[in-house]
Amino acid sequence: MERKNAWEKYPEGKKKEEVFAFAEEYRKFISKCKTERECVTELAGKAKAAGFTDLEEVIKKGTALKAGDKVFANNMGKGLALFVIGKKPLEGGMNILGAHIDSPRMDLKQDPLYEDTDFAMLDTHYYGGIKKYQWVTLPLALHGVIAKKDGSVVEVNIGDKPGDPVFGVSDLLVHLSGEQLEKKAAKVIEGESLDLIIGSIPKIVDENDKEAAKEKVKANIMELLEAEYGIEEEDFLSAEIEVVPAGEARDYGFDRSMIMGYGHDDRVCAYPSFEAMLKVKDPEFTSVCLLVDKEEIGSVGASGMESRFFENTVAEVMNATGDYSELKVRRALKNSKVLSSDVSAAFDPNYPSVMTKRNAAYFGKGLVFNKYTGSRGKAGSNDANAEYVAALRNIMDKQEVSFQTAELGKVDQGGGGTIAYILANYGMNVIDSGVAVLNMHAPWEIISKVDLYEALRGYVAFLEASI
């Protein structure tokens, strides 16, 4: 079934300007917010400015929530849940947009700093599914936090501000890489070789002091860090510092129809999901935007979708509406409808053999629905019910949202998963729905601006619907 290119709906004029204006807002967002913590800080601030109240304040003051009220809950600074209370009781279900805000990257190890042959180095452990060879010879930045024993937390952001230095992982020169080039791609760069070079000037010390003369470059770096951040080497033990590509997201193509940037997976779905919540007015069913961490490593941990954060938050919200019971919480979850807002693999004309053209996602064709993901025999997948798919088709067509359907490559070619199956464990109707991405999981990914805009329109239509 051929789908029209969504750009054809937006000839020159105000509507096309809206597409580019929203894309520019998003471009600035992903340029600024390269970690889950940065995303939560930025979006929580925007939520407050838009009239959302912190749920902690609601609980503390014993405020009663009613239809039209807007609240948010912050999960350890790494996740966010926003609610616009609907006219119908929560027991009848919620319309939920669920996305993740973590992205593939490298993390510093707990004891990362060392010196080797007059280079100061930082030891890393990669996070999520990456092609390791893509991360060498790139300008990289450090973003994160260092928690000190006195309870203070130092924010780190080096490599993205004007005038900042950058860091990087070196690679073999082609003249000496004969053996390296014989290796399979998965082994060309080993995980333990992804260490950052961060300095090479030795500290001036008394050469008679044998202890001080041992690691002079490392000592110089620590002196700089102590002066700038007031930290000592042991503070790395309680740090969370992420290594990400340095630089802003950029317009891509002569026509500026695309954006190349770090972290499209999955912030290209998280951002329009959040923005859709700001546009919802007086919904019938409670609207929810759920932004979670740790999807790229299995949705584990207290800030991942596998945690009880969302379930506990729903219970607190229902209690604040004066309509709480354990049974009603279970009913509210079971009766909910979800768009698991996650990216899909875009058809790449350079690599056509891994997809079937009839069931692939394309740039410019709008919001993507993946009835199922998983791998091979749909393993690890949520497979949406046909009735739910039909209801969503009706919503999108009524609002003239451009959408397409796809699956993640050819059968037996590969595959992947999202948070969809975890929400489906509650008995909810769930389907994956997001934006097509080229270069997925690479340091620099690419999306279409019109697909981003259609995702926003589709998410708004979903939140306002009475399914």
Side-chain angles (χ1 to χ4, degrees):
M1 290 174 282
E2 185 66 23
R3 292 279 175 180
K4 288 186 66 175
N5 193 305
W7 282 114
E8 296 177 29
K9 298 185 341 187
Y10 305 110
E12 296 300 326
K14 184 177 179 181
K15 282 294 183 182
K16 189 171 185 179
E17 290 173 5
E18 288 180 10
V19 174
F20 278 90
F22 183 64
E24 179 61 13
E25 292 173 15
Y26 167 70
R27 187 196 66 79
K28 291 177 179 177
F29 170 75
I30 60 167
S31 296
K32 180 180 180 181
C33 301
K34 293 186 176 182
T35 71
E36 59 281 3
R37 286 179 182 268
E38 290 169 342
C39 288
V40 168
T41 299
E42 177 74 9
L43 297 180
K46 288 189 71 171
K48 286 182 179 179
F52 282 76
T53 303
D54 192 327
L55 185 59
E56 290 294 329
E57 294 180 23
V58 171
I59 295 169
K60 186 177 180 180
K61 295 178 180 178
T63 307
L65 296 177
K66 60 185 184 303
D69 285 344
K70 300 182 289 188
V71 295
F72 73 90
N74 188 327
N75 187 14
M76 301 180 178
K78 300 178 182 179
L80 205 60
L82 301 100
F83 295 76
V84 177
I85 307 301
K87 298 173 185 175
K88 295 182 180 294
L90 271 82
E91 183 180 355
M94 301 162 279
N95 289 348
I96 303 169
L97 298 171
H100 67 91
I101 49 177
D102 61 316
S103 296
R105 59 180 190 258
M106 296 185 293
D107 289 337
L108 296 194
K109 292 183 179 180
Q110 281 191 278
D111 186 5
L113 182 61
Y114 68 98
E115 181 175 330
D116 191 343
T117 56
D118 291 340
F119 282 117
M121 311 283 288
L122 287 174
D123 201 358
T124 74
H125 192 139
Y126 65 91
Y127 173 99
I130 66 170
K131 291 180 176 177
K132 295 185 283 291
Y133 63 79
Q134 293 179 331
W135 287 77
V136 299
T137 74
L138 292 178
L140 300 172
L142 299 176
H143 289 230
V145 296
I146 300 173
K148 300 172 68 174
K149 288 190 295 184
D150 63 5
S152 62
V153 176
V154 179
E155 292 189 10
V156 175
N157 185 331
I158 314 170
D160 275 310
K161 299 184 294 298
D164 273 0
V166 294
F167 314 95
V169 179
S170 59
D171 191 15
L172 266 178
L173 62 162
V174 69
H175 313 73
L176 299 178
S177 60
E179 289 186 9
Q180 182 193 49
L181 294 175
E182 294 297 320
K183 296 179 180 180
K184 290 184 178 181
K187 296 290 186 180
V188 168
I189 302 294
E190 300 282 357
E192 286 293 353
S193 297
L194 291 173
D195 289 1
L196 298 185
I197 295 175
I198 61 167
S200 62
I201 296 177
K203 181 180 178 179
I204 304 302
V205 299
D206 182 353
E207 292 299 329
N208 294 320
D209 186 342
K210 293 183 179 180
E211 190 63 34
K214 281 183 180 178
E215 295 183 312
K216 293 182 286 186
V217 178
K218 174 183 170 181
N220 187 51
I221 294 297
M222 276 312 310
E223 196 170 77
L224 293 172
L225 292 176
E226 184 175 1
E228 181 71 21
Y229 296 105
I231 62 170
E232 55 189 39
E233 186 176 356
E234 281 202 357
D235 290 328
F236 280 114
L237 295 176
S238 50
E240 291 179 1
I241 299 178
E242 302 176 13
V243 184
V244 298
E248 289 191 346
R250 303 284 295 276
D251 282 349
Y252 195 81
F254 281 120
D255 55 6
R256 298 180 179 270
S257 61
M258 298 165 279
I259 298 173
M260 170 179 269
Y262 167 68
H264 285 316
D265 182 7
D266 183 36
R267 293 163 196 147
V268 73
C269 297
Y271 187 77
S273 295
F274 173 86
E275 289 293 325
M277 289 288 289
L278 304 188
K279 296 180 180 296
V280 171
K281 308 296 182 185
D282 301 318
E284 289 294 314
F285 290 92
T286 293
S287 296
V288 179
C289 175
L290 178 61
L291 305 178
V292 298
D293 183 24
K294 298 294 188 288
E295 191 275 344
E296 296 295 358
I297 58 170
S299 296
V300 295
S303 57
M305 191 64 240
E306 290 278 13
S307 78
R308 303 291 287 271
F309 165 72
F310 180 58
E311 184 179 336
N312 293 341
T313 303
V314 170
E316 292 284 5
V317 171
M318 292 186 75
N319 189 58
T321 65
D323 194 29
Y324 170 80
S325 76
E326 180 63 23
L327 182 57
K328 287 183 177 181
V329 171
R330 292 176 182 272
R331 286 174 178 168
L333 294 168
K334 173 184 177 294
N335 292 328
S336 292
K337 310 293 190 299
V338 186
L339 295 186
S340 174
S341 306
D342 209 339
V343 296
S344 190
F347 184 85
D348 189 336
N350 282 326
Y351 303 96
S353 64
V354 297
M355 294 185 178
T356 57
K357 287 190 173 183
R358 288 193 312 279
N359 288 288
Y362 294 89
F363 267 29
K365 299 297 179 72
L367 182 62
V368 184
F369 287 102
N370 290 81
K371 186 176 185 295
Y372 49 83
T373 54
S375 59
R376 297 172 177 84
K378 298 185 181 180
S381 170
N382 166 69
D383 196 341
N385 293 325
E387 294 87 350
Y388 185 45
V389 178
L392 292 171
R393 287 175 53 208
N394 187 44
I395 292 168
M396 300 302 150
D397 284 344
K398 281 184 175 179
Q399 298 299 321
E400 298 183 341
V401 176
S402 295
F403 74 92
Q404 55 185 316
T405 60
E407 59 182 65
L408 195 58
K410 285 184 176 179
V411 176
D412 289 338
Q413 187 67 45
T418 67
I419 66 170
Y421 75 95
I422 303 169
L423 288 161
N425 287 339
Y426 290 108
M428 302 177 185
N429 270 302
V430 186
I431 191 171
D432 283 297
S433 170
V435 175
V437 175
L438 282 176
N439 300 353
M440 192 190 297
H441 280 214
W444 297 103
E445 301 169 317
I446 308 168
I447 60 99
S448 164
K449 292 181 178 181
V450 78
D451 294 339
L452 170 68
Y453 188 70
E454 292 302 305
L456 172 67
R457 296 185 63 242
Y459 292 161
V460 172
F462 168 76
L463 291 177
E464 293 181 339
S466 299
I467 303 178

